[in-house]
Amino acid sequence: MADTDRVIRRNGDGAPVLRYRLGEREGRPWADLLEVLDDSADAAEFIRAELPGWVVSGPPELGQRLLAQGATALRHAHTFRRDLRADPPPADWAGTPLREGLRAVPCDRSPEELLESWRAAFDPTHVDHYPGDDARAVADRIGPLLAGQAIGPVLPSSLLAVDAEDRVVGAVVLTDRDGLPWVAEVFRHPRRGYRGLGADLLRRAVADAADRGLADVHLTVTEGNPARRVYEALGFLRQETSLTVIVPDAG
């Protein structure tokens, strides 16, 4: 990401202290991919003063200092990257067969058609469970993702898996996140017994991305999510770790 895509916050003397990508999360302004530019500054205190009520995603050490000062934890996650040129996907990934009775289709269905499988995949025991009701899940999560409003435009390498009744039972959604191909979502309906379907869809998507000339693919996985083992087995390598928190409101 180019520096021109980032916001720089300066102190009263005009010296740069923070750099981040501006977004929105949980209905709040979001300082994503935050970097501390001045090691001598008290970054946590600066953030509390300058970004009260914001969501901040940055180095875990900074997040821990903010938590100690009353911030609320949202997500502890790791970023991974799959190099498609130095380590091209095997030729047979493009034709990875799906489970019997399933077929792959473009990611062009309505948010409501993905809702049932998405809900089942991220049930209350999952680290990425969304606690809002179904209407909010569609309005705040699935809808904006498919519309390209959450992370970026949906890329054509995205795929859905549907069963014999044309119901969506799995998905892999790739987006363009500021020029980086990003796996924004991978899931399958666990109650339908399609173990391994997420990995199969991801193999197909990665192979398609490579065929389209993309140099790499990125994703983020929450700490404690067992899917991390799947990503590592498919050649994704960890790049960095971040902690996302809600900064306490002023006063």
Side-chain angles (χ1 to χ4, degrees):
M1 182 184 301
D3 288 347
T4 54
D5 298 322
R6 309 287 281 272
V7 175
I8 294 180
R9 286 270 181 162
R10 303 175 184 272
N11 62 19
D13 297 325
V17 179
L18 304 175
R19 179 168 56 203
Y20 56 84
R21 173 184 180 269
L22 180 61
E24 181 179 331
R25 183 164 177 172
E26 307 296 329
R28 300 169 180 264
W30 179 21
D32 188 19
L33 304 173
L34 184 142
E35 302 172 74
V36 177
L37 303 178
D38 183 356
D39 292 335
S40 66
D42 186 337
E45 188 62 33
F46 185 85
I47 288 171
R48 289 194 60 195
E50 296 293 323
L51 308 177
W54 282 46
V55 175
V56 171
S57 298
E61 300 80 8
L62 175 60
Q64 292 294 344
R65 291 200 296 273
L66 289 167
L67 290 175
Q69 297 177 24
T72 302
L74 281 182
R75 191 184 192 194
H76 179 197
H78 310 279
T79 300
F80 282 75
R81 173 178 178 265
R82 175 66 157 82
D83 192 322
L84 302 181
R85 292 179 177 169
D87 182 21
D92 61 355
W93 279 21
T96 299
L98 302 185
R99 301 302 186 268
E100 184 176 356
L102 301 184
R103 57 192 175 88
V105 299
C107 185
D108 58 3
R109 303 295 177 93
S110 69
E112 290 78 9
E113 291 180 85
L114 276 67
L115 178 62
E116 180 186 351
S117 292
W118 184 83
R119 274 298 200 191
F122 303 112
D123 68 17
T125 67
H126 197 282
V127 293
D128 291 322
H129 173 67
Y130 176 69
D133 61 24
D134 286 353
R136 288 189 61 84
V138 168
D140 296 347
R141 292 295 179 91
I142 308 175
L145 173 65
L146 297 181
Q149 299 166 351
I151 300 176
V154 173
L155 296 175
S157 297
S158 304
L159 291 169
L160 302 177
V162 298
D163 64 12
E165 298 178 19
D166 204 39
R167 297 175 301 186
V168 175
V169 297
V172 55
V173 183
L174 275 71
T175 63
D176 181 343
R177 185 183 185 184
D178 298 316
L180 296 179
W182 207 273
V183 180
E185 201 70 274
V186 182
F187 63 87
R188 65 174 177 86
H189 197 311
R191 290 198 299 269
R192 300 195 194 283
Y194 304 128
R195 186 175 179 83
L197 175 60
D200 291 343
L201 288 171
L202 190 54
R203 288 186 183 93
R204 283 196 175 202
V206 167
D208 186 78
D211 286 345
R212 293 176 185 273
L214 300 183
D216 52 17
V217 175
H218 304 252
L219 60 80
T220 300
V221 60
T222 303
E223 174 67 23
N225 187 345
R228 174 175 177 170
R229 295 192 295 271
V230 175
Y231 304 143
E232 291 175 330
L234 295 180
F236 284 86
L237 303 178
R238 188 172 72 85
Q239 304 297 299
E240 59 186 23
T241 297
S242 68
L243 186 57
T244 298
V245 305
I246 300 176
V247 180
D249 288 316

